[in-house]
Amino acid sequence: MFLALATSVGWQWTSDRADTERPLTIYEGVPTIRDGDNVKIDGENIRLLGIDACELGQPARFAGAEIDCGIWARDSFRELVGPRSVRCESTGRDVYDRPLAICYTGERELNRALVENGIAFPYARESDYRAEARAAQAAGRGLWLFEDVEEPSDYRRRKRNE
């Protein structure tokens, strides 16, 4: 059973307008991991803020074989979370009207953990996770072991233009 608690429990500055405050909305429960950067809690699709994971169907090469990088990212995210409950804190929505959130299992921030483990890229325009991505790349963790992998934003742009 999923539980969603969506109430205003505080105020937080938004990143786009420092002179405006928005209520903090909390989503909590055992999630359905939809892909490498989206979860579903009690019917609400939630986009993890500041990261970008491979799209389902996005190819990459590992050990000489082609793999679906998006399925790999989704499955790696599922393994990272396990059967635990997730708490997502959102102060806004994206262009698809999904809550943008920083999510946690206990005290562990999942957005950061996904980049640290090489499961997701930092989302360039808004990410605070660039240092974690450099460390994951230097250590050869996760997708940094792939022989070639396209950043998801480049993959989406290329697919739109095909």
Side-chain angles (χ1 to χ4, degrees):
M1 182 175 94
F2 296 154
L3 169 69
L5 176 63
T7 60
S8 296
V9 294
W11 295 89
Q12 183 172 336
W13 293 104
T14 61
S15 60
D16 57 340
R17 291 195 55 199
D19 61 341
T20 304
E21 292 182 347
R22 294 186 185 182
L24 180 66
T25 304
I26 306 296
Y27 303 90
E28 192 165 15
V30 176
T32 299
I33 310 275
R34 299 177 53 85
D35 60 26
D37 53 22
N38 288 277
V39 298
K40 189 173 191 173
I41 298 175
D42 198 28
E44 185 77 57
N45 292 318
I46 302 164
R47 174 77 162 83
L48 276 70
L49 181 66
I51 69 169
D52 201 10
C54 290
E55 297 292 329
L56 296 176
Q58 181 178 339
R61 293 192 67 71
F62 178 72
E66 187 168 299
I67 64 164
D68 185 319
C69 185
I71 289 175
W72 173 86
R74 181 199 63 204
D75 293 350
S76 298
F77 188 9
R78 286 178 177 165
E79 186 176 318
L80 182 71
V81 172
R84 293 183 292 276
S85 182
V86 169
R87 174 185 167 96
C88 295
E89 301 176 354
S90 172
T91 58
R93 292 184 170 266
D94 68 7
V95 297
Y96 303 104
D97 199 34
R98 297 174 297 191
L100 289 168
I102 297 178
C103 298
Y104 302 87
T105 53
E107 296 297 315
R108 184 179 197 186
E109 182 191 321
L110 290 172
N111 307 46
R112 186 172 310 281
L114 287 164
V115 177
E116 286 174 338
N117 286 289
I119 299 168
F121 293 91
Y123 194 69
R125 291 184 303 231
E126 58 189 51
S127 184
D128 294 328
Y129 307 118
R130 287 184 226 119
E132 289 83 356
R134 285 190 298 273
Q137 184 175 18
R141 284 191 295 268
L143 58 84
W144 300 109
L145 290 172
F146 296 167
E147 294 155 22
D148 64 343
V149 64
E150 196 171 10
E151 289 218 20
S153 58
D154 294 338
Y155 173 76
R156 289 188 299 271
R157 189 176 310 107
R158 186 174 55 78
K159 293 303 281 184
R160 275 192 306 267
N161 293 329
E162 285 183 354

